[in-house]
Amino acid sequence: MSKEITPKTNDYVCQSYDFSRMRHTLSMRYRKLLHVVMTHAQIDNKAVELTFRVGDLVKAFGKGDDSGKAYKKFRLDTFATGLMQEIVTVPDASGGWTKMQWVSVCQFDKQADTLRVQLHDKLLPYVLDYRKRYTTVTLEEINQFEGRHAWKYFEIFSTKKYLAGQKGNKPDQFFFDMTIDEIRETLAIAPTEYKLKADLRKFAVESPVAEINRLNCGLSIDIEPQRRGKFLTGFRFTCTVYDPKKHKPTKAPKPEEITQDEHIEAHQQRYDELLAEELSQGELIGYKNSLARDAALREVAYKRLCEEFPLKKRSRGRPKKT
């Protein structure tokens, strides 16, 4: 028997660390529906069939109201087909893996304007096995994200919060390192994607981290490239944890450092050239909103500017005697 529900932005899932580390290419719009399905699987302790009114899904996913325009953007048939085709890979300790579908059924009733979805039975144990170590995730948090790479980083970073205060870090800060191969594996990047390390750095590291830093999601991240000689081998991610309900921490420039705006203004022509070059390369994978894409590319263009023209310190101290 199907259970009729209305999804709400405060629907939450106790997501196990092992679940957060699963490998997949699930886009954010699929992930949002999966979140609601997981919520009620944990409530009922089984893979119950859920029935949603499509208009309620549109509103819960932050797509506006249930008007015809919003409904059309939802592209229900494409949505259901894509969700049924998505595969999740569950790695095991021996180096093997298990592949399975996220859901076992996705059915649309046109007359009732409802969508029926059921979590796959094989996936249920992983959804329910959260009692040892888990992080709480709400639909409201997921709705902030546009890119799947950014969300995957957020999931992984959230499982590392217990490292805060260790290795000489501040109580609200931690860091960890990832090699290029680990990044590819974590984000489920195909061998044909981002063959150049410069592209991987741009689209799979810098842009997703820039998205996280723009959001009020409880994490602020700095990245530092790691090299062996002149070869890029990975990145160090330094994360600062904060309460999203309070004031988001800002990184105020030191008195002797110039601000980003001043830096861009000093090299405006070159910055415009770099930004135009980034924008000409097309959409970012995982981004469906042009504003989010452009904002991410501006961050990338500024990082490139900093590589060509490093930030200089202001002159300070007493004037020389004459």
Side-chain angles (χ1 to χ4, degrees):
M1 183 177 178
S2 185
K3 176 182 178 181
E4 295 186 10
I5 65 167
T6 300
K8 301 178 178 62
T9 56
N10 61 352
D11 285 342
Y12 71 91
V13 168
C14 297
Q15 185 167 301
S16 70
Y17 284 9
D18 288 340
F19 190 95
S20 295
R21 297 186 182 107
M22 290 180 179
R23 302 195 297 269
H24 58 83
T25 58
L26 200 66
S27 71
M28 290 311 299
R29 61 177 186 157
Y30 300 147
R31 183 64 182 81
K32 293 171 184 177
L33 177 59
L34 181 67
H35 179 90
V36 179
V37 175
M38 288 169 57
T39 295
H40 289 273
Q42 289 184 350
I43 291 174
D44 297 299
N45 208 40
K46 61 182 180 179
V48 64
E49 283 188 4
L50 301 178
T51 300
F52 307 91
R53 195 176 74 84
V54 177
D56 291 335
L57 287 177
V58 172
K59 289 188 286 187
F61 293 171
K63 298 298 182 182
D65 55 25
D66 57 356
S67 64
K69 183 177 181 181
Y71 187 100
K72 185 177 180 180
K73 287 183 178 181
F74 196 63
R75 298 174 184 172
L76 190 60
D77 183 64
T78 304
F79 176 88
T81 301
L83 182 59
M84 291 294 296
Q85 292 175 341
E86 286 288 344
I87 299 295
V88 57
T89 301
V90 185
D92 60 36
S94 67
W97 44 258
T98 302
K99 292 181 181 288
M100 65 187 76
Q101 291 178 291
W102 292 100
V103 298
S104 58
V105 65
C106 198
Q107 181 180 4
F108 173 58
D109 185 331
K110 186 174 182 180
Q111 185 174 0
D113 194 34
T114 58
L115 184 68
R116 183 169 65 89
V117 183
Q118 183 173 355
L119 192 73
H120 202 288
D121 289 338
K122 296 292 185 181
L123 189 64
L124 182 63
Y126 299 97
V127 174
L128 298 181
D129 185 24
Y130 62 87
R131 293 167 181 81
K132 293 180 181 179
R133 301 179 74 179
Y134 67 90
T135 183
T136 302
V137 181
T138 67
L139 183 58
E140 185 177 14
E141 286 178 314
I142 297 180
N143 278 341
Q144 295 184 69
F145 287 80
E146 291 284 344
R148 70 175 182 88
H149 291 340
W151 174 253
K152 191 61 185 179
Y153 275 126
F154 179 76
E155 285 185 310
I156 296 298
F157 296 156
S158 295
T159 69
K160 304 287 186 179
K161 289 181 180 179
Y162 69 92
L163 295 173
Q166 298 184 23
K167 298 182 180 180
N169 282 319
K170 298 177 181 179
D172 61 346
Q173 195 174 82
F174 64 92
F175 74 87
F176 64 99
D177 301 329
M178 294 180 72
T179 66
I180 295 296
D181 289 340
E182 287 172 340
I183 290 172
R184 283 188 167 278
E185 183 178 7
T186 298
L187 301 183
I189 297 174
T192 55
E193 288 184 274
Y194 311 142
K195 291 184 177 181
L196 297 178
K197 287 184 178 180
D199 289 339
L200 184 135
R201 175 176 177 173
K202 181 192 304 182
F203 297 117
V205 179
E206 293 178 342
S207 294
V209 168
E211 178 179 350
I212 292 173
N213 288 339
R214 287 195 305 274
L215 302 176
N216 187 35
C217 62
L219 281 176
S220 178
I221 302 151
D222 288 319
I223 54 176
E224 179 184 350
Q226 295 183 320
R227 301 180 183 275
R228 183 176 296 129
K230 65 178 181 179
F231 297 103
L232 181 67
T233 59
F235 294 87
R236 169 163 292 184
F237 298 85
T238 302
C239 305
T240 301
V241 183
Y242 65 92
D243 185 349
K245 297 179 181 179
K246 298 180 180 179
H247 183 65
K248 182 177 179 179
T250 57
K251 300 174 183 177
K254 297 178 182 179
E256 67 272 17
E257 293 179 347
I258 65 173
T259 66
Q260 178 175 327
D261 290 340
E262 290 174 328
H263 194 204
I264 291 176
E265 186 177 351
H267 307 281
Q268 189 68 55
Q269 182 176 350
R270 181 54 181 156
Y271 173 76
D272 292 341
E273 292 172 355
L274 292 172
L275 180 58
E277 183 179 326
E278 296 296 334
L279 292 172
S280 68
Q281 294 181 9
E283 294 287 337
L284 288 176
I285 293 177
Y287 285 85
K288 301 174 183 64
N289 183 292
S290 61
L291 294 177
R293 178 209 62 179
D294 293 350
L297 289 179
R298 283 194 290 271
E299 294 284 346
V300 174
Y302 180 65
K303 285 184 178 294
R304 291 182 61 188
L305 183 74
C306 290
E307 292 175 356
E308 294 185 18
F309 303 97
L311 283 167
K312 295 181 180 180
K313 294 183 177 181
R314 300 182 192 274
S315 59
R316 58 181 300 177
R318 297 178 180 177
K320 294 181 179 180
K321 295 182 179 180
T322 56

